[in-house]
Amino acid sequence: MHSVLIADDDEEMRELLTFKLQNGYDVTAVSDGAECWNRLDTAADDLPDLVVLDVMMPGLNGYRVLDRMDGDDRFDDLEVIMLTSRGKEDDIVRALEAGATDYMTKPFSANELLARIKRVLE
């Protein structure tokens, strides 16, 4: 079973994503970018297969998490889908250039997110 790490500071969003993904994936959810980075940085050989990453979080935002991952060969095979309310072209390009696999804006279709996750992981 593929594993997914969700990083979003909105508790309702974490609960919704966990609910939607839990039947097909091993899901872990964290509430901010620092916790996401700590899990990734200390995961050693047990990295998730995918991170669903919000951009706007207190402290360490999603872009900074991507920046830390960029250039670190431990994360070469880690897929990242940005899921955020920031939908300007500059935001999307910045995330994709920093290594994000895909980018979706909120509000979003749960079915579309599931299809994107399936495409990325299979």
Side-chain angles (χ1 to χ4, degrees):
M1 180 179 292
H2 289 290
S3 59
V4 177
L5 175 61
I6 298 165
D8 197 304
D9 62 325
D10 183 318
E11 182 177 356
E12 289 181 11
M13 182 60 64
R14 288 191 312 273
E15 289 174 359
L16 171 67
L17 291 170
T18 299
F19 177 76
K20 291 291 186 180
L21 297 174
Q22 68 187 355
N23 288 331
Y25 303 96
D26 179 21
V27 179
T28 302
V30 297
S31 61
D32 60 46
E35 190 176 357
C36 177
W37 173 250
N38 287 337
R39 286 188 180 257
L40 294 173
D41 192 36
T42 61
D45 295 327
D46 193 27
L47 286 172
D49 299 302
L50 170 73
V51 178
V52 177
L53 184 61
D54 187 17
V55 169
M56 297 185 304
M57 295 182 285
L60 194 62
N61 69 37
Y63 291 133
R64 292 185 60 206
V65 172
L66 278 177
D67 289 343
R68 288 183 177 190
M69 292 170 57
D70 190 35
D72 188 329
D73 60 0
R74 294 178 296 166
F75 307 113
D76 286 350
D77 296 327
L78 181 58
E79 307 290 351
V80 178
I81 296 178
M82 304 299 287
L83 182 62
T84 179
S85 58
R86 297 182 65 112
K88 293 183 180 177
E89 181 180 1
D90 290 348
D91 297 317
I92 297 167
V93 169
R94 184 185 186 306
L96 294 173
E97 287 179 346
T101 309
D102 203 348
Y103 196 101
M104 286 186 68
T105 55
K106 298 175 187 175
F108 66 99
S109 157
N111 289 334
E112 180 182 353
L113 177 61
L114 289 170
R116 289 175 185 240
I117 289 171
K118 184 176 180 181
R119 179 187 56 82
V120 165
L121 292 179
E122 297 178 6

